[in-house]
Amino acid sequence: MAVWSRLRTRPEQGPGGGGRRRRRWPFVVAALVLVLGVGGYIAFDRARPYLHGSGCEVAVGKSKMPLDLDQAANASTISAVAFRKQLPERAAVIAYATAIQESHIRNLPSGDRDSVGMFQQRPSQGWGTPAKLRDPVQSTSKFFDALVKVKDYLDRDVHDAAQRVQHSADGRAYAQHEPDGKLLAQVFTGRQPAGARCWYPPDKQTKSRRPDAIREMRRAFGPRLQVDGPGPLTAGAPSRPDSWNGVKVTNARAGWAVAAWAVTHAQVYGLKEVRYADLHWRSDAGHDGWTTDKNASSAHVIIH
C-alpha cells in the first residue's frame, strides 16, 4: 500500500519538495532578469558617451544641419566677427554661403593655386599673408571688410554679393548654399536660442584652458564683450577647473551667440559646461543638447 501511495504522488506534490522548487523558479528567473537588466543598463550608461562619436548639429524647428567640430567652431567664429563689426544677419548669410562653397567651412591650409583658409583667399591677390588667411578670425574679418565695400550688398542676391567679393570662376555656385547659410546665421547670430549642440566621447576631452578660450572669444567678438567671474583671465594663467567665468550680455541674441561659440569651442579648450537663460549644456552629455537649469542667469553666459 505504501508503494502504491508513492506511485500516485505527483512530483509537484511529492514528499521531496518538488512543488516548492517549481514555485521558486519564477522568482529565480525574475531575479536573474532584474540583475541582467540592471547590469545592461549600467553597461549602456557607461558606453553611451562613446556611442555617438564626435559631432555638432544646428537646428531651427525641423531644419537641421550636421557639422563636425571644426566646421562648427569656424561657423560660430564667422558670426562672432559679424557681431564685432556690428553687421546685420544678412552679411553672415553671405559669408556662410561663400565659406560652404569655398571650403565646406574648413580652415584649409591650401587650395587652388595659392588659395588658403575658409574663404580660399589668395595672398597673390592682395588678401594678406598666408598665416593671416589661415586664421579664421582674420580671414573672416577680411571677407567682411571687402563685403561692406560692395554697393547695396544687403539688397543683392546672395550669390551676386558673394561673387563681387570673391571673383570666382562661377559665382552662381554660391546660390545653392543660401538655405544652409540662413540656417547657420539664425543659430550662430543668436536669433535661434539653444540652436547649437556638440558632443564628443570622454577620451576626446581635453585639459581645461578656459583663460585661452576667453581671450580667443574676445578676439572674435571684440573688446565690447565684458567678462568677469573668479576664473583667471591673464595671459598664461593656469585654468582652475573648479572655477568659472561669466560673459555679461545685454540681450538674449548676444547671449546665445556667445553660448553657441562656447559650445562649439568646448572640445578645443576643455570647457565642461555652458549655462545661460534657464538652460545648460554639459560636455559629458553633449548629445543631449541644452537641458533645463532654472538657476542659469539671463544676464551672464556662465562658462565652466
Side-chain angles (χ1 to χ4, degrees), residues 69 200 204-206 262-271 281:
L69 294 174
Y200 40 91
K204 297 296 183 182
Q205 299 274 357
T206 58
V263 167
T264 58
H265 287 79
Q267 194 274 337
V268 174
Y269 292 105
L271 307 180
W281 170 91

Side-chain angles (χ1 to χ4, degrees), residues 83-186:
F83 177 92
R84 170 161 56 85
K85 292 180 173 293
Q86 298 181 291
L87 297 176
E89 185 177 321
R90 179 72 171 176
V93 173
I94 298 169
Y96 285 127
T98 305
I100 293 171
Q101 174 61 30
E102 296 291 353
S103 68
H104 299 290
I105 328 180
R106 300 185 190 281
N107 189 26
L108 301 179
S110 61
D112 180 47
R113 298 181 227 183
D114 60 336
S115 300
V116 296
M118 278 196 295
F119 298 95
Q120 287 293 278
Q121 296 151 327
R122 297 179 60 191
S124 63
Q125 299 300 310
W127 282 99
T129 65
K132 288 185 177 180
L133 299 180
R134 292 189 189 102
D135 178 337
V137 172
Q138 294 196 55
S139 65
T140 301
S141 183
K142 287 178 176 295
F143 177 85
F144 283 136
D145 288 345
L147 179 64
V148 297
K149 294 177 182 177
V150 175
K151 184 178 180 180
D152 300 325
Y153 78 94
L154 292 175
D155 299 320
R156 296 180 181 276
D157 291 336
V158 165
H159 71 276
D160 182 26
Q163 174 64 358
R164 289 173 184 268
V165 174
Q166 296 295 105
H167 305 291
S168 67
D170 183 6
R172 293 170 299 178
Y174 301 114
Q176 63 187 313
H177 304 298
E178 183 173 354
D180 285 342
K182 288 181 176 179
L183 177 61
L184 292 171
Q186 276 189 259

Side-chain angles (χ1 to χ4, degrees), residues 173-229:
Y174 301 114
Q176 63 187 313
H177 304 298
E178 183 173 354
D180 285 342
K182 288 181 176 179
L183 177 61
L184 292 171
Q186 276 189 259
V187 171
F188 288 118
T189 65
R191 183 153 65 91
Q192 174 61 42
R197 64 183 177 123
C198 293
W199 59 89
Y200 40 91
D203 60 348
K204 297 296 183 182
Q205 299 274 357
T206 58
K207 184 179 179 181
S208 177
R209 295 192 296 125
R210 192 173 58 254
D212 292 339
I214 296 297
R215 288 196 299 277
E216 181 64 16
M217 178 188 291
R218 294 195 70 194
R219 192 170 75 92
F221 280 91
R224 288 181 297 133
L225 211 62
Q226 299 181 37
V227 182
D228 53 24

Side-chain angles (χ1 to χ4, degrees), residues 207-212 215 230-243 245:
K207 184 179 179 181
S208 177
R209 295 192 296 125
R210 192 173 58 254
D212 292 339
R215 288 196 299 277
L233 297 174
T234 57
S239 181
R240 290 166 45 195
D242 60 334
S243 189
N245 289 105

